[in-house]
Amino acid sequence: SSMPTDELRFRSQATWSPKAKWALSGNARYRDAENDELDWSQWERNTTGFGANLWYAASPEYQFTLGIDSQKQETDAVAIVPVMDG
């Protein structure tokens, strides 16, 4: 099954706003999941993500946001592809 039996998650976010017109935010995510109750193999998935956002208020009518997010995911599982010739 591709459903984890054990899972560890971590998520954090912080925002720094030294002035009323702009702010900088960052976030980090981590997930480690596995299923070791399978009869014939193990299933593991590790996910790591980072992000940053910049917010700027040029005026009460105009606000701008710039952001970037990155995610890396690795899955370790046995896959069997049936070959049919018929």
Side-chain angles (χ1 to χ4, degrees):
S1 168
S2 63
M3 300 302 294
T5 56
D6 294 322
E7 185 173 23
L8 171 69
R9 287 182 182 226
F10 171 77
R11 192 168 216 168
S12 180
Q13 180 177 350
T15 301
W16 178 54
S17 182
K19 298 195 178 212
K21 287 193 165 198
W22 67 278
L24 179 64
S25 297
N27 63 70
R29 301 169 308 279
Y30 176 75
R31 178 183 182 211
D32 181 18
E34 65 180 33
N35 185 341
D36 57 0
E37 295 180 0
L38 299 173
D39 293 334
W40 48 273
S41 72
Q42 286 189 338
W43 177 92
E44 297 178 5
R45 179 176 288 162
N46 296 319
T47 307
T48 307
F50 299 98
N53 293 303
L54 176 65
W55 173 79
Y56 176 68
S59 69
E61 294 86 17
Y62 298 102
Q63 299 178 14
F64 301 97
T65 303
L66 174 67
I68 186 166
D69 280 302
S70 172
Q71 179 170 313
K72 179 181 178 184
Q73 182 169 294
E74 296 176 350
T75 302
D76 184 17
V78 175
I80 299 172
V81 179
V83 177
M84 298 185 186
D85 187 18

